[in-house]
Every structure is written in structure tokens, then in C-alpha cells.
Amino acid sequence: MSTNLRIALRFLTARKRSMLMSLAGIIFGVGFFIVTQAQTSGFEQFFIKVILGTNGAIRIEDKIQATTFTLAAAGHDPDASKFEVETDRTGRKYIAGVEDPGLIIEALRRFRNVAGASTVLEGSVIADSSFKNDSAKVYGIKLEDHLAVSDLAEQVARGHGSLDDFRTTPQGLLVGKVLADRLLLSVGDSLILQAGTEQRRYRVSAIYVTGVSDIDKVRIYMHLGEARSLLKKATGASFIQVSLFDRDRAPQDAVQLEEILRHGAKSWQEREVSWLNAFKALQVSAALTVSTIILISGLGMFNTLAMLVIEKTKEIAILRSMGYSRRDISQIFLWLGAIVLGIGTVGGWILGFAVTYGVSKWPIHITGIFTAETFQVYWSINHYLIATLCAAVVVMTAAVIPARRAARLEPGDIIRGTSQ
Amino acid sequence: MSPPVQASTEFALRCENLHRYLGQGEGRVHVLRGVSFAARPGKVTAIVGPSGCGKSTTLYLLGLLDQPDDGSIWIRDRLMSNSSDLDRTAARCEHIGFVFQFHFLMQEFSALDNVMMPMRKLGRLSDAEMADRARALLKDVGLGDKTHRLTTQLSGGEQQRVAIARALANQPAIILADEPTGNLDVKNSAIIFDLLTRLAKENGQAVVLVTHNPDIAHRCDEIKPMRDGEFC
């Protein structure tokens, strides 16, 4: 152990109470920083998971009506392909829907990052149960394709009924939990859907729960063939739902898909930008709020060290008279900061971990933009590193000024002052 | 102004024509007015004089704790008065041991730790060797059985003995003592002075002490009376 560290450790006990207060501040600051980040990130990640599991990573919709474009592709490998596109972007117009979904899905299969694609035909209907009626949206899907691009199986498992019934029943429906509750529907009940003048009777095969109330209150899944018949759309699709292997590449892939497929393509980040920004703002706001605890403990630390320098001027003079350099004196006080920082950070990690774990097990029923039964937390080493960085910046800045002041003290002046 | 001291390697410490001003503006005082002085190995020199005559200021300048406004200081023929803070700090560590009036021990440390502190900075000995030497020094000053006591658990006289052991720790060429018996009773004063001079003479160290005590001064090898910032 270095002599300066040894001296710092002894000096640490000189102002026990104020040191402990600063230490407690750092422990709580770091701990709560970790907890709040784990929570806000947890809800954000949960929201992303739900959104991806429901609406997919990319949605391809509406054909672009380009004025001029040329396309040159080299082989099937997207990385080896070279496209030259000339488009009038400012005057871009869209034709609603996907004209030839089969062709688009065929093209999508050539992209390495595309994990699956599902044709969806969407339309507005009036849903009429024996008791009530409500407006709804039907989503005509090919079940197996859609299972590959969504968490529908899991969402049905969270609700009632089974996919097998839907799979084998042409008139089967998958109804959102909120809508089913509104219409007082149970699995096996019949439901009349009306689209324009067309009216048909269907059977509730299962009730699903996505957790996103905006989806659960309007969306009804039905077989694509039935949807074409009900909505009187023999061909085409409203959109194609795409799932990706690497969800984070969705924005780049969407741009590429849009240019190549000549259809509008929206990544999940673009679709949910307002919610994602809200989560980010919440995360930053929580970090700033909790950082004030660290900042206050840093001020406490500064005060404690500044007082310590005043108290220890005699000892500083002794050390200087023995041959300890200004740098040694500065190091002793920086060590003091570093020791408190080290203990505080580790304590904060432990507190943060324990509280995060406890909170993740805390039963709480949340409904709104999504439904959750417990606090959602996201475990990330980055939360610990950022908390440590914040604490290090604050505490070491608080230690530097007293340390420099201590180093500047002239031993002759101190001894002369003490002796007189 | 004191007569100039002839340059010689036989001096552990010497200074020439030291001037020092303290204070600022109208309060600025010419404390030292051309002090010249030399200390020989194995000899004890007492600087005496009334309060405020510049005794302690001279001692701090000789100990490189302060810098003169003019004049030169040599430690073993190495000119130190114009050297950098780092060089003067290193010279203090290697060549100079201090004993102050109020012992100036580190309260959080034991007697042994206090004596080891200069050795730790010098870094010439291993931990075990430092501990052995510190124990031996404490035994020499009569504190062999109190090595692990905190300094707060020692009497004033014992604390000053620890300070002497600490001053001798790095075997410096020069011991500078600023009224080392100033806050002790007559009996303890005599013990401390005898201890300091005996150990210094045994090791061939030059001792320069500032004192108000005429009895102590008369037992030194040389007395340098001082008045108004000059040696008389």
C-alpha cells in the first residue's frame, strides 16, 4: 500500500460523520440512478417488445407512384447489389395498399435481415355481438405467416381459447381482450361483422391480449380469404408486416426496402417515434433528477474535504517538512475522494441491484399504453457504468479543489503561524 | 550584517547574506538582514535572542521550508536557495530532520508509524527494515515499550521524544530544532536536550536549535546570539 494511501485512510476517520454523510449520499445517488434507469429502460424495452410482437419491425404499405426511376440489380445478394434510383422525391405520391403482395414477399425473402413477412388486409367494420356493437378493425392474415412475424401465439396464450380452433375454423376470429370485454364476448360466441353492406356471422376462436390497449380494443384477426370476401377486396393487401433478425437495423432496412420495392416502408422506430422519444425523455429526466443526489453528496464531499484541509494544515506542514512533495499532499486528498467514491460506488451498485431486483418482483397492475403485472426492469451494465461515471466526475471534481489547495500550503507559513 | 562564512566541505549547512521580508505593503518587515551562518557535523549550535528577532525565520530558511528574498543556502555544498520546490523537498527528506516546539506528530498514527513516515517517503528501506529502525530509534529515546501507542496516548515529553526519533529516522546530516523544549518542564527539557545532542553527536549530525532557555544554550557547542534580524 502506498504511503499516501495509508495516510489518506487514516485521515478518512478524522471527520467520520461528514464523511459518512457524503458516502451515504453517493451510495443512494448511485443506487437510485441504477434503479430509475433500470425501470425506465425496462418499460421502454417492454413497450418495444410488445410493439414488435404485434406490428412487426417494418411495415410495407402503399405503392410509390414514381415519376421516373431506373433500377439495376446485380444478383440476389443485397450487399453485392448496386441500385441506381432516380426519383422525384418531393413530388412522391402513393397508391394505397400493396398491389401484388406475393411479388413483394418474394423480393423480401432475398434480404438477409428479413426473418418473415405476412400479408395483411385491413378494413373497418362494425362488430355486433348479442348485447352490444362497436366499431373495430379486421386484420385478414395467413395464420402461419403472421405467427412468424408476431407474438400472436403468446398473446392468445395470455388470453383465452386456442389457435388450433382458429386454424381449423374458416369463420374463426381472434378478438382483442378489451373489445371482447366491451362486447361481452367469450370464446365460442358468435359475432356479426358488418363492412359496408356486407354482413357475416363469425365465431370467436380465441381472445388475445397484446397488453397495448389501443390494439386490444379494436383489432380482430380473421383468415385472409374471409377478409377479402367481407371487405370485397379480391386481390392486394393493406400492408405487409415484416420481422427482422436484427431489429436495430430496421431504419436502414426500411430505407433500402422502400427504394427497392417502390413501396412505402416504415420501421418500428419511425412508427413509434413519439412513444420512444417520451421514454427517452423520461429516462433522461429521471437520470437528471437522481443525479442531484450525487451532486449534493459531491458538494458535501467538497465541504468535508475543504474542512479537512483546514483541520490538517499542521499535518500537511509536518509531511512537507519530512519531504513529502506538493504532489504527495494533493494525492492524499485525491485518495480520500477516491476511497469515498470507491466505497460509495460499490455500495450504490449493491443497493441498486437489490432494489432493482425487489422492484422487478413487485406485483403492480399497469394498464395504458401497455399492460404489465409487475414493474418492468432492464438489466444493463451501462446503467452501472453511467452511474459510476457521474459519481466519479462529481466526487473527484469535489476532491480536486481541496487537494490543490492543500498542495499549495506553504509549510513555513503554517509552522510559523502555529509556533507564534 | 554577519561576516561571510568561508566555503568548505566541512560544513553540513551554511548560508550567506540571507535576507527575508515578511508581510505586505506598509506592514512589510525586514526580518532577516544579511544572516550568514555555518553548522558543522557533530556540533550543536544554539541560536538565541529575543522574540521576533528572526531566529525561527532563519531556521525555516535553513530547513528549506521557506525561501529567502536574497542570499544563499548550501546543504553539503549544494546550493539550495535557488532550487525548485521539488529539489528542496527532496533535500528536506534526505538531509534534514526537524524537531518543532509542539512536536507536530500525526495524531492518527502510532509512535512507530510516525517514526517510519520519513523513511517511507525516502523509500530506501524495506517495510521490515523501516520497522526495525523505527523500533530501535524509539528504544534509543526510551519508548521501546510504547511503539504501538497512538501519539495522543503519550505525554508531552514522550511525544517530543517520538519527534526526535522521527527527525533522526533518515539519518539526516542536519537536525533543526525550533525550541524543542519550549513546552516542557525543566526535567523533561533536560532529558530531551541530552537525548537530542547525544544521538546527533553519535551520528555526526549538525544540530541547530533555536531556544529561549539560557541553560540549554550554554550547554551547546556554539551560541549564536541574534538581534533585529542579525547575528550579534
Side-chain angles (χ1 to χ4, degrees), chain A residues 43-59 146 149-151 155 158 210-215 219 221 241-243 247 266-273 275-276 279 369-370:
Chain A
F43 281 112
E44 183 189 25
Q45 292 300 319
F46 183 73
F47 174 76
I48 291 169
K49 184 184 178 303
V50 170
I51 285 301
L52 287 175
T54 309
N55 291 337
I58 291 177
R59 187 177 272 198
H146 208 74
V149 298
S150 69
D151 295 334
Q155 289 159 1
R158 282 209 298 268
T210 64
V212 182
S213 59
D214 279 351
I215 294 170
R219 197 176 290 188
Y221 290 104
Q241 188 164 316
V242 180
S243 65
R247 71 183 197 187
K266 275 189 179 175
S267 65
W268 62 273
Q269 292 95 329
E270 191 183 352
R271 287 195 322 257
E272 308 298 340
V273 67
W275 278 116
L276 293 174
F279 278 116
I369 59 165
F370 50 72

Side-chain angles (χ1 to χ4, degrees), chain A residues 215-232:
Chain A
I215 294 170
D216 292 350
K217 72 183 178 189
V218 293
R219 197 176 290 188
I220 297 172
Y221 290 104
M222 65 194 309
H223 291 286
L224 183 61
E226 280 298 323
R228 289 197 188 287
S229 180
L230 178 69
L231 300 171
K232 297 192 181 305

Side-chain angles (χ1 to χ4, degrees), chain B residues 3-18:
Chain B
V5 177
Q6 197 178 359
S8 167
T9 50
E10 67 183 287
F11 297 120
L13 165 72
R14 65 191 176 89
C15 65
E16 265 184 22
N17 195 28
L18 287 184

Side-chain angles (χ1 to χ4, degrees), chain B residues 44-49 181 193 197 209-225:
Chain B
V44 181
T45 307
I47 301 175
V48 295
T181 60
F193 178 76
T197 51
L209 65 87
V210 164
T211 184
H212 277 113
N213 187 331
D215 293 338
I216 296 282
H218 283 106
R219 291 173 63 190
C220 294
D221 299 317
E222 191 182 0
I223 300 175
K224 300 283 284 182

Side-chain angles (χ1 to χ4, degrees), chain A residues 295-407:
Chain A
L295 191 66
I296 290 166
S297 58
L299 290 173
M301 188 72 199
F302 170 80
N303 191 39
T304 305
L305 288 179
M307 293 301 290
L308 197 65
V309 170
I310 295 167
E311 269 180 24
K312 295 291 177 191
T313 48
K314 199 179 75 178
E315 281 79 357
I316 291 166
I318 299 167
L319 290 167
R320 295 280 285 127
S321 75
M322 284 190 283
Y324 284 76
S325 64
R326 291 185 196 279
R327 195 177 168 187
D328 289 322
I329 302 300
S330 179
Q331 265 182 10
I332 289 167
F333 284 88
L334 288 176
W335 266 123
L336 276 168
I339 293 164
V340 174
L341 172 68
I343 298 170
T345 303
V346 173
W349 289 347
I350 295 166
L351 179 73
F353 182 89
V355 176
T356 303
Y357 181 79
V359 159
S360 73
K361 301 292 171 196
W362 194 349
I364 183 166
H365 186 67
I366 299 168
T367 52
I369 59 165
F370 50 72
T371 304
E373 298 303 321
T374 57
F375 264 104
Q376 300 298 311
V377 298
Y378 178 63
W379 298 94
S380 169
I381 189 74
N382 288 339
H383 301 152
Y384 292 75
L385 294 178
I386 295 168
T388 305
L389 186 69
C390 285
V393 168
V394 170
V395 174
M396 292 320 287
T397 304
V400 161
I401 299 165
R404 289 180 63 175
R405 194 182 157 189

Side-chain angles (χ1 to χ4, degrees), chain B residues 182-202:
Chain B
N183 67 336
L184 299 177
D185 56 36
V186 177
K187 188 184 162 195
N188 268 311
S189 292
I191 292 169
I192 292 298
F193 178 76
D194 289 343
L195 196 61
L196 183 63
T197 51
R198 178 175 62 80
L199 292 172
K201 279 175 184 284
E202 278 173 15

